[in-house]
């Protein structure tokens, strides 16, 4: 049976302000208001401040909830005194995050810097609602230590067990249980977001733009990559000097190495800029930025990928990368074959063509493009599955690869008797990358020869370009030419609803036109507005648009560990969301890796680290490690902590 408010054995208060003032605040002291979200801590703090001021006593409060502050700025910790009918902010420290649990150490340090107060008066610490789990157990004693409180008002509902009660008992503080008011409720997520955004907008209202070059000041916290400009607009920032906040603001844009900030006024001198995860969402609300690698990657395949949970190739890998679902069809030990499904489009791409029988025929029907690294058997042997699955009336399937791919496809087709397919023989368009030239060929089962379709110059390695994505390639060495590929979706363009409302312009087709020009890179084009005027795309975008960076996927396998290979692959994978990369051998077998032109696990991880990828998914392990694949993962994780690993290694390779 759960404990509740009545059987804890501690003094119980019914939540009346006058009772708390009389029984607890007969003298000046420091108190922590502690409890889960929605129990009325901030309301009680304001009531105590008002009651103490009414009898001529000073009351101060530290607001330590950056996500839903009762006073001060969101994304910050503030200290205030009660004056008149409200809290008056005396000082604040920027956190640039709304997440007190994740950034509990910076939060505690910010509270520490604000805690020294005048000797006279009551100090209330309005704690965040982080009371459960590891974060709650760590944050509570840290706040007690830095604020030097001597008592705790523990707010809870009668039917709930008070949080962290045992920990509170051993901290040596005077504890008072306070019954939460029945009407106390935590607002919904959207309501909280709107409330904090209004507070933030009031702070920035009438402000100015301030520009500086990246590198002029140090970047603190967890700033996003400076070479990914799209992730910066809307980020909350704090200007620091000598480790203290001097001003807070918001990033308007990052362009060509120059950062433009929106500030409430001209800033004093500062030496660093704090950036974390507080950012405007697409509808203009101040929220927590979605982690770049938020989608899960699991070692249990989806039901429609046709992969069994236990298979000869070891653990299958499936997951999501932005707009696509992905699956390593044959697991980490089997033939390389990455299935990339474009969600909601009944279309699939394949990277490499290893054994394909684990994929259902309907997937083969939906495959439009196949990107082959090279023509070794384990990378192209699945062509026969694709060929057989596409007998019938299907559009030509496009294949991309290094020089000689058309000849290899022709060999497959010519090795089979096609006397009964008539006009329904599968057709293929093959594109070979020769340095910076793409040579195209057409082949069809049942028809002799290989028809040359011409050639074109390739810019920036782009083999395929469509409105929603593009695929780029670089040439690497595996003692034979191989290609590595990057799947690059288009940027996601969000119109800020708050800015649109402020502009007085109604939504309409003109916004779609604006987005089309932005995706096409046509920033000097002009868009006709609903009010009859015209405006340049770049000007409209600067005021209305937030761009979400695309989540890039990079696929590389079968390459020698050479300086040139590393340089080219690291550039292709720079800041990628998900990096599928071979890790064939352990470092102890480095001689074998060198002889066969493969990467060791350590080399794979070093490339991923140098490229700054959000997560590494290793594969193409040598079967010599089938009984102990954890050895490979340990070697990878020692260099690249963002390596995706299975939860358990039991039963692999059996």
């Amino acid at each position: 049976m759960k404990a509740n408010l009545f059987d804890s054995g501690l003094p119980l208060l019914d939540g009346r302000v006058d009772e708390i003032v009389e029984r607890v605040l007969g003298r000046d002291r420091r108190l922590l208001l502690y409890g889960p979200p929605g129990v009325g801590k901030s309301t009680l703090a304001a009531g105590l401040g008002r009651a103490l001021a009414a009898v001529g006593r000073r009351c101060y409060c530290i607001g330590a909830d950056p996500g839903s502050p009762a006073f001060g700025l969101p994304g910050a910790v503030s200290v205030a005194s009660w004056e008149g009918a409200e809290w008056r902010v005396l000082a604040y420290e920027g956190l640039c995050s709304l997440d007190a649990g994740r950034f509990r150490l910076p939060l505690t340090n910010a509270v520490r810097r604000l805690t020294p107060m005048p000797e006279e008066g009551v100090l209330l610490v309005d704690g965040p609602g982080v009371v459960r789990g590891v974060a709650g157990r760590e944050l509570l004693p840290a706040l007690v230590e830095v604020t030097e409180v001597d008592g705790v008002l523990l707010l809870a509902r009668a039917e709930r067990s008070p949080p962290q009660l045992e920990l509170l008992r051993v901290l040596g503080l005077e504890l008072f249980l306070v019954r939460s008011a029945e009407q106390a409720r935590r607002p919904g997520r959207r309501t909280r977001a709107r409330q904090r955004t209004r507070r933030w907008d009031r702070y920035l209202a009438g402000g100015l733009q301030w520009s500086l070059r990246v590198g002029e000041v140090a970047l603190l916290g967890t700033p996003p990559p400076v070479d990914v400009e799209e992730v910066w607009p809307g980020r909350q920032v704090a200007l620091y000097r000598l480790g203290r906040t001097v001003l807070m603001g918001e990033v308007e844009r990052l362009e060509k190495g120059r950062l433009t900030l929106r500030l409430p006024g001209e800033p004093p001198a500062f030496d660093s800029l704090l950036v974390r995860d507080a950012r405007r969402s697409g509808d203009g609300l101040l929220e927590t930025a979605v982690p770049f690698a938020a989608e899960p990657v699991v070692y249990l395949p989806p039901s429609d990928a046709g992969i069994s949970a236990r298979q000869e190739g070891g653990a299958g890998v499936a997951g999501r990368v932005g707009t696509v679902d992905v699956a390593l069809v044959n697991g980490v030990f089997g033939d390389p074959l990455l299935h990339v499904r474009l969600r909601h489009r009944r279309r699939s791409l394949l990277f490499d063509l290893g054994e394909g029988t684990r994929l259902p025929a309907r997937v083969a029907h939906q495959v439009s493009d196949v990107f082959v690294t090279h023509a070794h058997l384990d990378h192209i042997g699945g062509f026969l599955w694709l060929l057989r699955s596409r007998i019938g009336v299907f559009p030509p399937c496009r294949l991309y690869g290094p020089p000689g791919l058309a000849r290899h496809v022709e060999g497959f087709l010519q090795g089979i008797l096609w006397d009964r397919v008539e006009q329904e023989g599968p057709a293929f368009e093959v594109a070979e990358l020769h340095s910076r030239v793409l040579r195209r060929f057409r082949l069809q089962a049942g028809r002799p020869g290989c028809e040359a379709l011409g050639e074109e110059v390739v810019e920036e390695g782009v083999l395929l370009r469509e409105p929603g994505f593009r695929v780029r390639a670089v040439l690497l060495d595996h003692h034979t030419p191989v290609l590595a590929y990057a799947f690059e979706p288009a940027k996601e363009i969000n119109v800020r609803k708050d800015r649109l409302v402020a502009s007085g312009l109604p939504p309409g087709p003109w916004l779609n036109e604006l987005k089309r020009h932005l995706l096409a890179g046509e920033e000097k084009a002009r868009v006709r507005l609903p009010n009859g005027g015209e405006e340049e795309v770049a000007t409209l975008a600067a005021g209305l648009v937030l761009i979400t960076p695309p989540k890039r996927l990079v696929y590389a396998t079968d390459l020698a560990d050479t300086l040139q290979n590393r340089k080219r692959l690291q550039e292709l994978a720079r800041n990628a969301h998900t990096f599928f990369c071979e890790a064939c051998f352990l470092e102890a077998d480095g001689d074998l890796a060198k002889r066969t032109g493969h990467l060791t696990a350590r080399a794979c991880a070093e490339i991923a680290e140098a490229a700054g990828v959000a997560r590494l998914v290793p594969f193409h392990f040598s079967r010599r490690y089938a009984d102990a694949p954890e050895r490979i993962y340990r070697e990878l994780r020692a260099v690249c902590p963002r390596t995706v690993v299975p939860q358990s290694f039991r039963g692999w390779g059996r």
Side-chain angles (χ1 to χ4, degrees):
M1 184 175 179
K2 277 190 175 182
N4 60 45
L5 208 59
F6 302 109
D7 59 17
S8 63
L10 296 177
L12 178 62
L13 306 174
D14 67 4
R16 295 197 335 268
V17 169
D18 57 346
E19 180 191 24
I20 295 173
V21 171
E22 179 182 348
R23 294 182 56 181
V24 182
L25 295 176
R27 58 183 173 85
D28 291 346
R29 63 188 307 183
R30 297 183 176 199
L31 289 177
L32 171 66
L33 279 63
Y34 187 73
V39 292
K41 297 189 297 295
S42 297
T43 302
L44 178 58
L48 294 173
R50 186 180 300 108
L52 290 169
V55 295
R57 297 178 61 191
R58 300 293 295 174
C59 183
Y60 303 90
C61 185
I62 293 179
D65 186 348
S68 298
F71 54 83
L73 300 178
V77 177
S78 302
V79 61
S81 64
W82 188 270
E83 297 188 12
E86 61 183 359
W87 294 114
R88 183 174 71 86
V89 175
L90 303 175
Y92 66 86
E93 287 291 337
L95 193 65
C96 297
S97 176
L98 313 174
D99 191 342
R102 180 184 177 195
F103 293 103
R104 50 192 180 273
L105 179 58
L107 173 78
T108 305
N109 287 335
V111 171
R112 185 198 307 273
R113 291 194 289 271
L114 294 175
T115 295
M117 297 298 302
E119 293 296 327
E120 295 183 358
V122 170
L123 173 63
L124 304 175
V125 180
D126 185 2
V130 181
V131 298
R132 306 293 181 187
V134 174
R137 290 194 298 272
E138 290 184 347
L139 187 55
L140 173 57
L143 285 176
V144 168
E145 178 182 351
V146 300
T147 57
E148 299 180 355
V149 295
D150 54 28
V152 177
L153 295 178
L154 176 55
L155 282 75
R157 302 188 188 280
E159 70 277 9
R160 302 288 179 87
S161 175
Q164 304 295 349
L165 186 55
E166 294 306 313
L167 178 55
L168 283 164
R169 290 182 191 273
V170 302
L171 291 177
L173 304 170
E174 189 175 11
L175 304 181
F176 300 91
L177 284 169
V178 181
R179 189 199 313 268
S180 176
E182 290 186 7
Q183 66 270 25
R185 292 289 184 272
R186 188 188 195 195
R189 185 182 68 83
R190 295 288 290 179
T191 300
R192 299 197 307 275
R194 286 192 288 267
Q195 289 172 345
R196 79 171 72 97
T197 303
R198 283 195 294 269
R199 189 180 293 273
W200 181 241
D201 287 341
R202 285 196 298 270
Y203 171 74
L204 292 177
L208 52 80
Q209 288 189 344
W210 184 270
S211 182
L212 71 156
R213 183 158 293 282
V214 174
E216 289 180 11
V217 296
L219 293 178
L220 308 178
T222 56
V226 294
D227 53 349
V228 184
E229 295 180 347
E230 297 88 353
V231 300
W232 283 83
R235 293 268 176 177
Q236 189 182 56
V237 297
L239 283 59
Y240 266 40
R241 178 172 173 80
L242 301 177
R244 298 296 299 265
T245 302
V246 297
L247 204 63
M248 293 186 71
E250 182 178 314
V251 176
E252 288 281 324
R253 60 186 174 274
L254 173 62
E255 188 174 20
K256 297 179 180 178
R258 196 155 196 88
L259 200 61
T260 300
L261 308 178
R262 169 70 59 179
L263 301 175
E266 184 130 352
F270 63 99
D271 54 32
S272 51
L273 203 63
L274 178 71
V275 190
R276 288 197 175 100
D277 60 355
R279 188 194 185 196
R280 297 269 188 180
S281 61
D283 53 9
L285 297 178
L286 184 62
E287 299 188 272
T288 298
V290 177
F292 193 53
E295 301 98 339
V297 167
V298 298
Y299 283 80
L300 292 174
S303 59
D304 65 346
I307 320 169
S308 61
R310 294 164 60 111
Q311 56 180 267
E312 184 183 359
V317 183
R320 178 164 290 185
V321 182
T323 58
V324 300
D325 293 327
V326 296
L328 276 173
V329 176
N330 298 311
V332 295
F333 287 102
D335 286 2
L337 173 57
L338 178 66
H339 175 206
V340 175
R341 183 178 63 188
L342 308 183
R343 288 201 304 278
H344 314 305
R345 293 182 61 179
R346 298 179 61 83
R347 179 179 175 187
S348 290
L349 313 178
L350 300 179
F351 289 81
D352 268 336
L353 259 179
E355 174 60 49
T357 54
R358 292 189 178 94
L359 281 173
R362 65 177 175 81
V363 170
H365 299 163
Q366 296 173 3
V367 170
S368 60
D369 301 88
V370 181
F371 300 91
V372 179
T373 57
H374 61 301
H376 282 164
L377 182 59
D378 56 336
H379 295 259
I380 202 173
F383 181 81
L384 289 176
W385 159 81
L386 182 68
L387 180 63
R388 185 170 185 174
S389 300
R390 293 180 69 90
I391 294 176
V393 181
F394 295 100
C397 180
R398 299 185 291 254
L399 281 78
Y400 301 82
L405 180 61
R407 185 179 70 253
H408 296 303
V409 171
E410 184 180 18
F412 276 111
L413 297 179
Q414 295 303 320
I416 297 171
L417 179 61
W418 297 103
D419 61 318
R420 300 187 181 184
V421 299
E422 298 180 350
Q423 302 302 314
E424 296 186 358
F428 300 91
E429 292 180 0
V430 179
E432 298 178 351
L433 183 61
H434 295 255
S435 185
R436 292 187 56 195
V437 173
L438 198 64
R439 296 177 181 171
R440 298 185 180 275
F441 306 87
R442 191 180 193 281
L443 305 96
Q444 185 169 4
R447 294 188 178 185
C450 176
E451 178 187 358
L453 299 179
E455 59 185 45
E456 60 190 76
V457 175
V458 171
E459 299 291 341
E460 299 181 330
V462 177
L463 305 184
L464 175 64
R465 189 191 303 270
E466 297 192 8
F469 68 91
R470 68 180 187 178
V471 177
R472 289 196 300 132
V474 295
L475 186 66
L476 304 175
D477 176 46
H478 175 51
H479 304 163
T480 186
V482 299
L483 295 182
Y485 297 98
F487 174 84
E488 301 177 339
K491 300 174 182 178
E492 185 177 330
I493 298 174
N494 302 289
V495 176
R496 283 184 52 174
K497 295 179 183 177
D498 60 324
R499 294 280 183 89
L500 186 62
V501 171
S503 72
L505 295 171
W510 68 278
L511 289 175
N512 292 329
E513 184 182 355
L514 172 63
K515 292 180 180 181
R516 284 196 299 271
H517 285 306
L518 283 172
L519 288 173
E522 299 166 347
E523 295 191 351
K524 292 189 177 300
R526 300 188 70 81
V527 175
R528 180 169 291 278
L529 303 176
N531 60 12
E534 284 190 354
E535 192 61 80
E536 196 172 83
V537 167
T539 303
L540 288 170
L544 296 175
V545 166
L546 273 181
I547 297 178
T548 301
K551 294 186 175 181
R552 300 171 56 247
L553 178 157
V554 174
Y555 176 89
T557 184
D558 291 47
L559 62 141
D561 186 10
T562 66
L563 185 61
Q564 188 175 51
N565 274 352
R566 285 200 180 207
K567 182 179 178 180
R568 289 182 175 181
L569 184 53
Q570 286 165 194
E571 185 58 34
L572 182 71
R574 183 78 59 203
N575 297 321
H577 177 278
T578 302
F579 183 31
F580 287 91
C581 187
E582 74 155 16
C584 284
F585 298 103
L586 292 173
E587 190 68 18
D589 296 319
D591 289 343
L592 181 58
K594 184 176 181 180
R595 189 163 63 250
T596 58
H598 283 286
L599 295 181
T600 63
R602 180 178 182 83
C604 166
E606 288 174 347
I607 292 170
E609 275 293 289
V613 302
R615 65 186 183 194
L616 166 64
V617 182
F619 74 107
H620 205 17
F621 300 168
S622 169
R623 290 185 181 273
R624 65 177 50 215
Y625 312 116
D627 292 330
E630 64 270 21
R631 296 170 61 195
I632 300 177
Y633 285 105
R634 288 188 186 119
E635 192 166 285
L636 288 159
R637 287 295 293 267
V639 177
C640 182
R642 295 178 301 284
T643 303
V644 178
V645 300
Q647 293 183 342
S648 171
F649 301 101
R650 288 178 297 178
W652 284 22
R654 296 179 183 176

mmCIF file of all heavy atoms in Angstrom, residues 203 220 262 349-350 354 416 485 521 570 613 649:
data_model
loop_
_atom_site.group_PDB
_atom_site.id
_atom_site.type_symbol
_atom_site.label_atom_id
_atom_site.label_comp_id
_atom_site.label_asym_id
_atom_site.label_seq_id
_atom_site.Cartn_x
_atom_site.Cartn_y
_atom_site.Cartn_z
ATOM 1 N N TYR A 203 10.192 40.567 -23.243
ATOM 2 C CA TYR A 203 11.586 40.923 -22.952
ATOM 3 C C TYR A 203 12.289 41.458 -24.204
ATOM 4 O O TYR A 203 13.064 42.421 -24.140
ATOM 5 C CB TYR A 203 12.307 39.693 -22.405
ATOM 6 C CG TYR A 203 13.798 39.834 -22.246
ATOM 7 C CD1 TYR A 203 14.346 40.593 -21.222
ATOM 8 C CD2 TYR A 203 14.664 39.180 -23.112
ATOM 9 C CE1 TYR A 203 15.723 40.705 -21.067
ATOM 10 C CE2 TYR A 203 16.040 39.277 -22.970
ATOM 11 C CZ TYR A 203 16.562 40.040 -21.949
ATOM 12 O OH TYR A 203 17.919 40.139 -21.800
ATOM 13 N N LEU A 220 29.851 28.688 -25.485
ATOM 14 C CA LEU A 220 29.744 27.830 -24.318
ATOM 15 C C LEU A 220 28.481 26.985 -24.398
ATOM 16 O O LEU A 220 27.611 27.219 -25.239
ATOM 17 C CB LEU A 220 29.711 28.677 -23.038
ATOM 18 C CG LEU A 220 30.827 29.704 -22.840
ATOM 19 C CD1 LEU A 220 30.599 30.472 -21.541
ATOM 20 C CD2 LEU A 220 32.193 29.030 -22.847
ATOM 21 N N ARG A 262 18.988 39.026 -31.799
ATOM 22 C CA ARG A 262 17.968 39.966 -31.369
ATOM 23 C C ARG A 262 18.150 40.165 -29.867
ATOM 24 O O ARG A 262 18.078 39.223 -29.098
ATOM 25 C CB ARG A 262 16.573 39.428 -31.661
ATOM 26 C CG ARG A 262 15.425 40.191 -31.023
ATOM 27 C CD ARG A 262 15.223 41.556 -31.636
ATOM 28 N NE ARG A 262 14.943 41.498 -33.062
ATOM 29 C CZ ARG A 262 14.717 42.567 -33.823
ATOM 30 N NH1 ARG A 262 14.775 43.777 -33.268
ATOM 31 N NH2 ARG A 262 14.473 42.442 -35.113
ATOM 32 N N LEU A 349 14.438 2.975 -51.876
ATOM 33 C CA LEU A 349 15.786 3.020 -52.436
ATOM 34 C C LEU A 349 16.589 1.915 -51.770
ATOM 35 O O LEU A 349 16.369 1.583 -50.603
ATOM 36 C CB LEU A 349 16.448 4.372 -52.167
ATOM 37 C CG LEU A 349 15.646 5.643 -52.447
ATOM 38 C CD1 LEU A 349 16.474 6.868 -52.066
ATOM 39 C CD2 LEU A 349 15.226 5.720 -53.899
ATOM 40 N N LEU A 350 17.536 1.355 -52.497
ATOM 41 C CA LEU A 350 18.440 0.359 -51.933
ATOM 42 C C LEU A 350 19.872 0.857 -52.059
ATOM 43 O O LEU A 350 20.247 1.441 -53.083
ATOM 44 C CB LEU A 350 18.300 -0.989 -52.649
ATOM 45 C CG LEU A 350 16.928 -1.666 -52.611
ATOM 46 C CD1 LEU A 350 16.973 -2.982 -53.383
ATOM 47 C CD2 LEU A 350 16.463 -1.893 -51.192
ATOM 48 N N GLY A 354 23.169 -6.797 -51.774
ATOM 49 C CA GLY A 354 23.460 -8.120 -51.250
ATOM 50 C C GLY A 354 22.228 -8.996 -51.312
ATOM 51 O O GLY A 354 21.188 -8.607 -51.861
ATOM 52 N N ILE A 416 20.908 -15.478 -68.823
ATOM 53 C CA ILE A 416 19.594 -16.096 -68.608
ATOM 54 C C ILE A 416 18.841 -16.135 -69.932
ATOM 55 O O ILE A 416 18.923 -15.222 -70.753
ATOM 56 C CB ILE A 416 18.804 -15.287 -67.562
ATOM 57 C CG1 ILE A 416 19.531 -15.329 -66.213
ATOM 58 C CG2 ILE A 416 17.379 -15.813 -67.399
ATOM 59 C CD1 ILE A 416 18.962 -14.403 -65.178
ATOM 60 N N TYR A 485 27.908 6.863 -50.393
ATOM 61 C CA TYR A 485 26.751 7.666 -50.760
ATOM 62 C C TYR A 485 26.216 8.470 -49.579
ATOM 63 O O TYR A 485 26.307 8.047 -48.426
ATOM 64 C CB TYR A 485 25.628 6.765 -51.281
ATOM 65 C CG TYR A 485 25.971 6.007 -52.543
ATOM 66 C CD1 TYR A 485 26.393 4.676 -52.489
ATOM 67 C CD2 TYR A 485 25.870 6.608 -53.790
ATOM 68 C CE1 TYR A 485 26.700 3.967 -53.640
ATOM 69 C CE2 TYR A 485 26.171 5.909 -54.953
ATOM 70 C CZ TYR A 485 26.589 4.591 -54.877
ATOM 71 O OH TYR A 485 26.900 3.903 -56.025
ATOM 72 N N GLY A 521 16.735 27.671 -53.886
ATOM 73 C CA GLY A 521 17.857 28.583 -53.702
ATOM 74 C C GLY A 521 17.691 29.914 -54.403
ATOM 75 O O GLY A 521 18.670 30.635 -54.622
ATOM 76 N N GLN A 570 35.139 11.591 -44.593
ATOM 77 C CA GLN A 570 34.818 12.537 -43.522
ATOM 78 C C GLN A 570 34.103 13.768 -44.061
ATOM 79 O O GLN A 570 33.183 14.285 -43.426
ATOM 80 C CB GLN A 570 36.094 12.951 -42.781
ATOM 81 C CG GLN A 570 36.617 11.850 -41.863
ATOM 82 C CD GLN A 570 38.040 12.071 -41.403
ATOM 83 O OE1 GLN A 570 38.690 11.166 -40.883
ATOM 84 N NE2 GLN A 570 38.548 13.267 -41.601
ATOM 85 N N VAL A 613 29.411 13.070 -36.741
ATOM 86 C CA VAL A 613 28.083 12.516 -37.003
ATOM 87 C C VAL A 613 27.291 12.417 -35.700
ATOM 88 O O VAL A 613 27.856 12.298 -34.612
ATOM 89 C CB VAL A 613 28.178 11.130 -37.675
ATOM 90 C CG1 VAL A 613 28.969 11.228 -38.968
ATOM 91 C CG2 VAL A 613 28.793 10.095 -36.747
ATOM 92 N N PHE A 649 23.836 -8.953 -26.198
ATOM 93 C CA PHE A 649 24.610 -9.685 -27.202
ATOM 94 C C PHE A 649 24.307 -11.183 -27.161
ATOM 95 O O PHE A 649 24.891 -11.955 -27.896
ATOM 96 C CB PHE A 649 26.108 -9.475 -26.966
ATOM 97 C CG PHE A 649 26.532 -8.039 -27.030
ATOM 98 C CD1 PHE A 649 26.745 -7.334 -25.863
ATOM 99 C CD2 PHE A 649 26.709 -7.401 -28.240
ATOM 100 C CE1 PHE A 649 27.134 -6.004 -25.899
ATOM 101 C CE2 PHE A 649 27.107 -6.072 -28.289
ATOM 102 C CZ PHE A 649 27.312 -5.379 -27.112
#
